Amino acid sequence: MAPKESIHGSWSSRWAFVLAATGSAVGLGNIWKFPYITGENGGGAFVLVYLFCIALIGVPIMMAEILIGRRGRQSPINTMHTLAIESGHKPAWMYLGVMGVLAGFFILSYYSVIAGWSLEYLIKAASGVFTGQTASGIETLFGDFINDPKYLLLWHTIFMMMTYLVVARGVKSGIEKAVKILMPALVVLLLVLIGYAINTGSFSQGVSFLFNPDFSKLTWGAVLTAMGHAFFTLSLGMGAIMVYGSYLPKSASIAKTTFMIASADTIVALLAGLAIFPLVFANALSPGAGPGLIFITLPHAFGQMDGGVFFGTLFFVLIVFAAWTSAISLLEPVVTWLVENRGMRRATAALTSSITIWLFGILTVFSFPSDSPIKFEFSFIGETKTNGVFDILDILTANIMLPLGGFFIAIFAGWFMSRDATRDELDMGDGFDFNAWRFLVKWVAPTLVLIVFLNIFGII
Ligand code: PHE
């Protein structure tokens, strides 16, 4: 039997949940990753596939994840175990939770390193380093930075400590309050940057890159990346949203909250794209520059604009906060499991997992410096990857583990849970069509994921 309340606490209202889940969803994925993978994959057609995946795969699976979490009220591993037994199926479904916890572990190990870049850039912005720099000067600055493991390691350490501190205290009041102020501020700042981008002269080129689909550039590899990113950006497929759902009051409408979270997340990503690509073209930078893209385009813009030191500092503060609220949700499934199954106190569980993840993150730190002994190149479905372990972890989690996790979550909610159980969680008389959701989660979402996977592995 699932407990009535989670032993880890509960949100004070459905708004608290919406904020926390939006905090989880909106992160480096929107501001750092979405622009650079869009750039690498040719723009418009990629964006269209991404939006399509958000609507037809992401939204129904997010609802499934929240409802499963709320029904099980425990860590993802134990929730899957309880619900599988409740509906008369094998407890082996708990391995879905295990894969999720593992994915969270891998993601956080590199996420923290990139969040560390933002901390460094926050200091750089505040000290006025960007002022008056040429685009190539800014590129050199970035190259020098990622070649120096000392600083990468220092910031990685600081960011993991920040994450540990919040999770150790329990998620409730700290994150709720911070997110309420920070998310609107982030949107306002993105609008300021778009305002700047409009005036640099290449705005229409940026818009057309983002929204004019050129399907000749669309490979199956790009489709996989777009689909994987839909999972990554909505924090789906690994239990983060499930665990947040386990703290959700029974009276809250899952359909409405999902709609709000997914819309906010998509809007922030598109605003980030609109701010960045005009600057890429105006400065003759390459859209395919890779993970460094926003650390080159934006500092250059801040260096040229009036008040750039102020806006630049503020912007990196917001990125750090966005990354922070996501990192917390990456750690939470691991911590709840350690508390429930290993009898640890929350603080001890948070410390143990943070240290292990930090150690693992060192592999990512050494994926970037050009003289690093563990930097290597490899090719993945026809694309050359140059950043060793970082690229491997990124592909393994975003392109494989999250879609696979999401696939099984959809299968579980659509085929293994009883219709009545899901209906009990979802049908709130809020005008939402339960049968449409069930069709999407039973047929559409799993089929689409399967088609992409089968294509990648050359089976169809
Ligand atoms: N959604 C977060 C982002 O876009 C990353 C994340 C993935 C967080 C998976 C939790 C779980 O940055």
Side-chain angles (χ1 to χ4, degrees):
M1 266 286 283
K4 280 225 156 5
E5 289 285 326
S6 165
I7 58 163
H8 311 283
S10 53
W11 305 114
S12 45
S13 66
R14 84 183 159 104
W15 281 110
F17 167 75
V18 170
L19 287 171
T22 306
S24 166
V26 176
L28 293 174
N30 306 61
I31 303 162
W32 161 74
K33 194 171 180 193
F34 173 71
Y36 96 73
I37 56 176
T38 299
E40 284 179 342
N41 289 290
F46 176 85
V47 175
L48 206 66
V49 176
Y50 154 80
L51 292 173
F52 189 76
C53 292
I54 293 280
L56 289 183
I57 307 176
V59 167
I61 292 185
M62 180 178 278
M63 292 178 58
E65 231 185 269
I66 301 174
L67 89 86
I68 290 174
R70 185 164 77 178
R71 211 165 172 80
R73 296 256 188 240
Q74 300 154 77
S75 72
I77 299 180
N78 292 325
T79 284
M80 288 312 301
H81 188 268
T82 308
L83 294 192
I85 292 180
E86 182 190 271
S87 46
H89 299 290
K90 292 213 162 50
W93 276 102
M94 75 177 202
Y95 290 106
L96 183 53
V98 174
M99 181 170 77
V101 165
L102 216 65
F105 182 99
F106 289 149
I107 296 175
L108 187 51
S109 79
Y110 74 77
Y111 203 83
S112 165
V113 176
I114 310 293
W117 295 4
S118 318
L119 283 166
E120 162 83 16
Y121 269 65
L122 160 58
I123 307 291
K124 278 195 171 36
S127 50
V129 183
F130 307 139
T131 313
Q133 289 266 9
T134 59
S136 75
I138 297 272
E139 276 178 311
T140 312
L141 213 60
F142 179 72
D144 291 347
F145 168 60
I146 58 163
N147 268 304
D148 194 343
K150 269 198 311 300
Y151 289 102
L152 299 180
L153 191 61
L154 173 73
W155 293 119
H156 167 49
T157 311
I158 293 179
F159 187 79
M160 272 318 295
M161 283 167 59
M162 289 166 51
T163 306
Y164 154 72
L165 281 175
V166 177
V167 177
R169 278 155 198 258
V171 181
K172 216 167 177 177
S173 48
I175 317 185
E176 273 184 45
K177 287 202 187 104
V179 177
K180 209 183 295 183
I181 305 168
L182 294 167
M183 289 302 142
L186 186 66
V187 171
V188 171
L189 253 166
L190 281 172
L191 291 173
V192 169
L193 275 171
I194 292 172
Y196 176 79
I198 291 175
N199 291 318
T200 57
S202 297
F203 193 68
S204 59
Q205 211 181 337
V207 173
S208 109
F209 181 77
L210 267 179
F211 296 114
N212 257 352
D214 172 358
F215 287 99
S216 66
K217 288 188 185 151
L218 197 67
T219 59
W220 275 106
V223 173
L224 175 69
T225 308
M227 179 182 80
H229 188 65
F231 283 97
F232 184 88
T233 192
L234 293 175
S235 308
L236 295 179
M238 53 71 64
I241 291 295
M242 197 185 285
V243 93
Y244 276 13
S246 75
Y247 311 144
L248 181 66
K250 178 84 176 127
S251 58
S253 156
I254 292 180
K256 273 194 200 152
T257 48
T258 298
F259 180 74
M260 288 188 264
I261 300 161
S263 314
D265 188 77
T266 308
I267 289 170
V268 174
L270 293 178
L271 289 181
L274 281 176
I276 286 155
F277 286 107
L279 302 176
V280 170
F281 297 115
N283 296 302
L285 295 164
S286 154
L293 187 66
I294 67 157
F295 294 95
I296 295 165
T297 45
L298 296 181
H300 182 260
F302 292 128
Q304 309 295 314
M305 71 171 79
D306 291 334
V309 171
F310 173 76
F311 287 130
T313 311
L314 199 58
F315 186 77
F316 283 106
V317 168
L318 292 171
I319 295 192
V320 167
F321 273 102
W324 199 7
T325 52
S326 299
I328 289 161
S329 73
L330 283 161
L331 196 55
E332 187 68 9
V334 189
V335 169
T336 49
W337 179 73
L338 287 174
V339 171
E340 289 170 13
N341 290 50
R342 291 282 175 269
M344 287 186 191
R345 286 187 309 126
R346 175 175 267 274
T348 320
L351 188 65
T352 317
S353 42
S354 298
I355 292 178
T356 324
I357 292 170
W358 173 81
L359 273 171
F360 200 74
I362 297 177
L363 290 174
T364 293
V365 165
F366 284 95
S367 300
F368 293 102
S370 50
D371 57 354
S372 157
I374 61 162
K375 185 182 173 74
F376 54 86
E377 273 189 21
F378 64 96
S379 129
F380 175 72
I381 42 175
E383 280 167 38
T384 314
K385 303 282 170 183
T386 56
N387 301 313
V389 178
F390 162 75
D391 280 322
I392 290 190
L393 287 175
D394 176 38
I395 292 171
L396 180 68
T397 53
N399 293 3
I400 298 170
M401 291 172 94
L402 300 186
L404 203 62
F407 173 82
F408 282 110
I409 287 169
I411 295 289
F412 185 75
W415 295 88
F416 285 78
M417 287 179 80
S418 71
R419 189 189 168 88
D420 288 347
T422 45
R423 188 167 201 131
D424 176 43
E425 296 293 334
L426 291 182
D427 214 356
M428 314 281 303
D430 50 8
F432 143 82
D433 185 344
F434 175 75
N435 289 326
W437 170 79
R438 200 161 145 89
F439 179 70
L440 285 173
V441 93
K442 248 181 124 144
W443 296 102
V444 179
T447 309
L448 291 175
V449 175
L450 208 64
I451 292 177
V452 180
F453 273 151
L454 292 179
N455 264 291
I456 292 302
F457 297 113
I459 300 169
I460 54 175

